[in-house]
Amino acid sequence: MYMSNISLYFGTTAQNAGSGVYLLRFDTDSGTAQNAELVAEQAGASFLAATSNGRYLYAVNDGFLRDGEKTGGISAYEIDIKTGHLRPINTIATDGVLCHISLDHMEKWLLGAAYSKGSFSLWPVQEGGSIGPVRTTIAHQGQSVDPR
């Protein structure tokens, strides 16, 4: 099925007002796009992953605060199929700021990689799209060949 209008989501890494996840509607027939619209305020939405059915969107949260300290997080959103707007489901804290997230091919697990920690973690995707507690974290052991 050919769709002439598609919704594109992108995040911003800014930590101020107006930062978050934006929706851009693109018309593939005319090649035009509408102005981007902020659909979820969130500090540091640096990487996004969506389910293949377009029902849920997950966003790395670089500006998440836990006990007053800045740490990383992942936010889960439900996508309104009519408007494209996002409804927050939950946000979980992560051990470090993530640089990448993705879903497994069955979309039952969310994988996140933390560059600064040299680790990756797995979280279950629960019924209704929410993110469950971390199941496992594997940290790289050793060091680089670069002495710095």
Side-chain angles (χ1 to χ4, degrees), residues 59-71:
V60 166
N61 190 325
D62 291 350
F64 187 68
L65 295 176
R66 176 174 50 187
D67 300 328
E69 284 190 46
K70 184 178 167 185
T71 184

Side-chain angles (χ1 to χ4, degrees), residues 42-119:
Q42 174 187 310
S46 64
F47 202 94
L48 308 177
T51 56
S52 59
N53 65 3
R55 190 166 174 202
Y56 302 109
L57 182 84
Y58 301 93
V60 166
N61 190 325
D62 291 350
F64 187 68
L65 295 176
R66 176 174 50 187
D67 300 328
E69 284 190 46
K70 184 178 167 185
T71 184
I74 307 173
S75 297
Y77 298 97
E78 182 176 22
I79 300 172
D80 182 308
I81 18 181
K82 291 182 182 171
T83 66
H85 291 182
L86 302 180
R87 182 187 67 79
I89 299 172
N90 72 329
T91 298
I92 56 135
T94 59
D95 184 24
V97 176
L98 302 180
C99 61
H100 181 81
I101 56 172
S102 64
L103 290 156
D104 76 304
H105 73 283
M106 298 294 291
E107 300 180 343
K108 303 257 184 226
W109 295 95
L110 193 61
L111 169 79
Y115 179 79
S116 63
K117 295 272 187 179
S119 65

Side-chain angles (χ1 to χ4, degrees), residues 121-145:
S121 301
L122 286 169
W123 296 267
V125 175
Q126 300 177 325
E127 190 69 30
S130 67
I131 306 164
V134 65
R135 184 65 55 93
T136 190
T137 297
I138 298 173
H140 171 76
Q141 300 298 316
Q143 60 192 37
S144 171
V145 295

